Amino acid sequence: MNSIGKQVINALKGEINEIDYQRYIKQLTYDESESKSNLAIFRAPNALIANWVRTKFADKIAHLFEIKTNVKPTVSILLKSSTSPASTQNTTVPQNVERLGGSLLNPSYTFQNFVVGDSNNFAFIAAKNVSEKPGIVYNPLFIYGGVGLGKTHLMQSVGNVMLAQGKTVIYTSVEQFLNDFTRHLSNRTMDRFKDKYRKCDLLLIDDIQFLSNKNQIQEEFFHTFDALRNENKQIIITSDKPPKKIGGLEERLKSRFESGLVADIQPPELETKIEIIKKKCEINRVKLDREVINYVATIIENNTREIEGILSKLNAYSQLMGVDITIEFARNVLKEQMAEKRSNITIDLIMETVAKELNIKPSEIRSKSRNSNIVYARRIAIYLSRSLTPNSMPQLAQYFGMKDHTAVSHTMKKIQELMKNDEDFKVKVEELSNKVSVATPE
Ligand code: ADP
Ligand code: MG
């Protein structure tokens, strides 16, 4: 049978162009003996190839591993002669995590690389405090929010801080914890399991919602949790929902999870998205001008994870074709993405759609009328314009004839509050938002 490394290379062959394959990927060999489930090591014949693969294909390779094994490893491209895994995608592998057999942290998941906005401010400050006073301020820190909103990034930021101080950090998923537990149980090495999880300085458990209905591991986790907390060792947990809402979870665990600090992360505002894109450009050394950045920000939905995919797509195409990334170029490359999503949305288009759907005239939306139907429509139009177009608050204030940007911000808050508390209203707004997307020309 082919090694997993070979399978991944074969899969990659189908996804990239023939020249890249012949020149770079074909030259790699998978280092089976040094690799682990969370660390995939390939050997390249020279530094040039190693660098090129690292910057252009490491993410893809990691992704293909994830598809095949359900674990996304850190991909490390080393030279054929070197022996120790000295370099990974971007930086070096922290050796103390390695020795401890925990999962590796992503070295680029740091506080410096985390963009703070209203949507994540609370969770950010909480995590920052925890990194400064682990085990003292909030234990556990429980961070919840939707997919791709930065939960893993934040928890690993704390991990990276403590790792740099030489502390013992374990980052794990429920699945990994469970596998580890089962393995040690059948090998009759539970002492070692306990040693590992109960003697660390920081335990990071990602996506705890997967504990749901897994009784035996809940029991084990409960004891791990108490052992750590009794020693004032820090625990950070993430989840897609707050503790209360996790079904099939023992009450005593829920109350433990709530006993420290529960912090949520909301979908990013447009500004935050823009800043995140800038940050990702900086890290990945991609040059985009402001117009393109704004454009990308409007087409990504709430899942920030899409950003890196889009950047690498833009970058790859522009290198392949030897042209700069202009707005036209970006539009072209991302057409498919756009076909499914929102494109070219203007305030006028929003006004038209909202007016039509709510049976009023666009001019009425912009009027000063206090009629409740019109106020309702106006608020929604402002909200959609803010969420779906790159217009700033002052620009919107001007367009809608409002006093200043604080009036816009007030409306945004109002609508967000309504959406939170009124499911019907939320559905209505989402429906309108979809109608606007469909109405988009192109
Ligand atoms: P989650 O664990 O909540 O699903 P991740 O932490 O995996 O999300 O984040 C997905 C991607 O988006 C990562 O590349 C992460 O670095 C990036 N990201 C999310 N939020 C931010 C932010 N506020 N600043 C910088 N990058 C972010
Ligand atoms: Mg995550």
Side-chain angles (χ1 to χ4, degrees):
M1 214 193 87
N2 269 348
S3 76
I4 178 71
K6 277 216 179 99
Q7 292 175 38
V8 165
I9 294 296
N10 274 334
L12 184 61
K13 187 179 178 186
E15 292 201 9
I16 62 177
N17 70 59
E18 181 63 21
I19 297 173
D20 275 350
Y21 176 75
Q22 293 293 342
R23 236 182 240 168
Y24 307 107
I25 302 301
K26 203 178 157 197
Q27 317 284 332
L28 299 179
T29 46
Y30 179 61
D31 191 334
E32 205 164 352
S33 59
E34 296 263 336
S35 295
K36 302 179 189 149
S37 66
N38 57 14
L39 178 69
I41 299 177
F42 287 88
R43 303 271 170 185
N46 62 50
L48 193 82
I49 292 181
N51 275 331
W52 190 252
V53 173
R54 245 173 243 146
T55 46
K56 283 203 62 177
F57 302 108
D59 275 354
K60 251 204 157 79
I61 293 174
H63 180 64
L64 289 169
F65 267 97
E66 192 181 16
I67 290 173
K68 293 197 182 287
T69 66
N70 282 327
V71 177
K72 189 171 187 174
T74 299
V75 172
S76 185
I77 314 293
L78 305 176
L79 295 183
K80 280 216 163 100
S81 51
S82 79
T83 47
S84 72
S87 56
T88 62
Q89 277 163 260
N90 299 319
T91 32
T92 47
V93 177
Q95 295 291 321
N96 45 336
V97 196
E98 259 273 82
R99 274 201 312 275
L100 290 157
S103 252
L104 295 164
L105 300 178
N106 183 330
S108 77
Y109 286 176
T110 59
F111 287 120
Q112 293 91 306
N113 286 344
F114 193 83
V115 174
V116 186
D118 286 347
S119 53
N120 56 33
N121 190 24
F122 185 63
F124 175 84
I125 291 177
K128 200 86 209 290
N129 283 339
V130 162
S131 76
E132 282 154 13
K133 295 197 173 99
I136 298 169
V137 273
Y138 318 117
N139 207 9
L141 171 61
F142 189 103
I143 303 172
Y144 76 90
V147 174
L149 299 186
K151 302 182 296 294
T152 301
H153 186 139
L154 260 190
M155 80 168 4
Q156 291 205 1
S157 299
V158 181
N160 278 316
V161 168
M162 291 185 59
L163 206 58
Q165 298 164 346
K167 301 273 173 52
T168 315
V169 177
I170 293 187
Y171 168 78
T172 187
S173 61
V174 169
E175 191 199 6
Q176 228 176 319
F177 184 78
L178 177 63
N179 288 346
D180 232 14
F181 174 72
T182 320
R183 186 165 52 87
H184 283 290
L185 198 64
S186 68
N187 292 349
R188 295 172 196 280
T189 49
M190 276 311 284
D191 288 354
R192 279 174 48 202
F193 178 85
K194 287 182 182 158
D195 252 17
K196 173 175 168 185
Y197 286 99
R198 298 184 188 184
K199 299 238 162 90
C200 61
D201 298 304
L202 172 66
L203 179 62
L204 307 171
I205 301 244
D206 215 352
D207 293 313
I208 200 82
Q209 71 270 14
F210 293 118
L211 267 188
S212 171
N213 297 322
K214 297 194 178 86
N215 298 339
Q216 192 185 16
I217 202 68
Q218 283 188 25
E219 168 88 26
E220 185 56 35
F221 185 65
F222 178 80
H223 295 301
T224 304
F225 185 101
D226 272 3
L228 283 169
R229 215 177 48 169
N230 289 340
E231 298 283 318
N232 289 329
K233 304 297 190 186
Q234 182 69 44
I235 302 154
I236 305 180
I237 299 167
T238 69
S239 166
D240 63 349
K241 39 180 113 54
K244 264 196 205 64
K245 295 247 168 85
I246 304 176
L249 189 66
E250 287 177 28
E251 282 307 320
R252 57 177 186 170
L253 273 175
K254 282 189 194 175
S255 68
R256 289 287 192 288
F257 292 171
E258 283 171 348
S259 64
L261 182 76
V262 178
D264 68 325
I265 302 188
Q266 293 294 322
E269 313 77 25
L270 194 67
E271 274 89 27
T272 312
K273 281 188 205 172
I274 289 173
E275 290 309 313
I276 295 174
I277 295 168
K278 286 188 189 155
K279 189 60 102 182
K280 291 287 175 194
C281 284
E282 197 185 299
I283 296 170
N284 295 305
R285 289 191 214 95
V286 177
K287 273 216 174 75
L288 295 185
D289 65 28
R290 223 187 53 188
E291 205 182 2
V292 177
I293 290 176
N294 288 351
Y295 170 73
V296 173
T298 54
I299 68 168
I300 55 167
E301 309 260 327
N302 291 332
N303 186 347
T304 318
R305 223 169 268 177
E306 289 176 60
I307 293 174
E308 273 165 332
I310 291 181
L311 293 188
S312 71
K313 197 167 176 179
L314 285 178
N315 213 25
Y317 275 84
S318 95
Q319 289 196 357
L320 199 69
M321 297 162 77
V323 295
D324 285 346
I325 305 173
T326 59
I327 182 79
E328 289 76 27
F329 181 82
R331 282 222 172 92
N332 251 326
V333 171
L334 301 175
K335 223 184 218 140
E336 285 162 48
Q337 220 115 1
M338 299 294 301
E340 300 151 23
K341 292 194 176 173
R342 302 158 166 154
S343 64
N344 277 338
I345 295 176
T346 59
I347 310 182
D348 285 336
L349 185 73
I350 291 171
M351 297 286 277
E352 246 176 67
T353 314
V354 171
K356 193 167 132 216
E357 290 298 319
L358 300 179
N359 244 332
I360 52 175
K361 292 198 199 85
S363 58
E364 286 177 314
I365 297 184
R366 287 176 77 174
S367 73
K368 297 243 182 287
S369 167
R370 302 302 308 162
N371 170 300
S372 65
N373 283 339
I374 295 176
V375 172
Y376 178 78
R378 187 181 302 133
R379 282 191 174 149
I380 292 179
I382 292 170
Y383 177 80
L384 293 179
S385 302
R386 183 69 187 137
S387 332
L388 304 179
T389 77
N391 289 285
S392 66
M393 298 220 210
Q395 281 168 328
L396 290 177
Q398 197 181 11
Y399 186 97
F400 286 95
M402 299 166 101
K403 208 167 76 218
D404 57 24
H405 71 276
T406 54
V408 176
S409 141
H410 180 74
T411 303
M412 293 302 291
K413 287 214 179 91
K414 188 109 205 157
I415 295 277
Q416 275 155 359
E417 209 174 278
L418 273 171
M419 284 175 74
K420 223 186 221 165
N421 300 327
D422 183 344
E423 193 64 26
D424 288 346
F425 179 75
K426 186 173 163 210
V427 171
K428 184 76 208 164
V429 173
E430 272 165 3
E431 192 189 347
L432 277 166
S433 154
N434 289 334
K435 290 235 161 84
V436 171
S437 315
V438 177
T440 303
E442 195 169 280

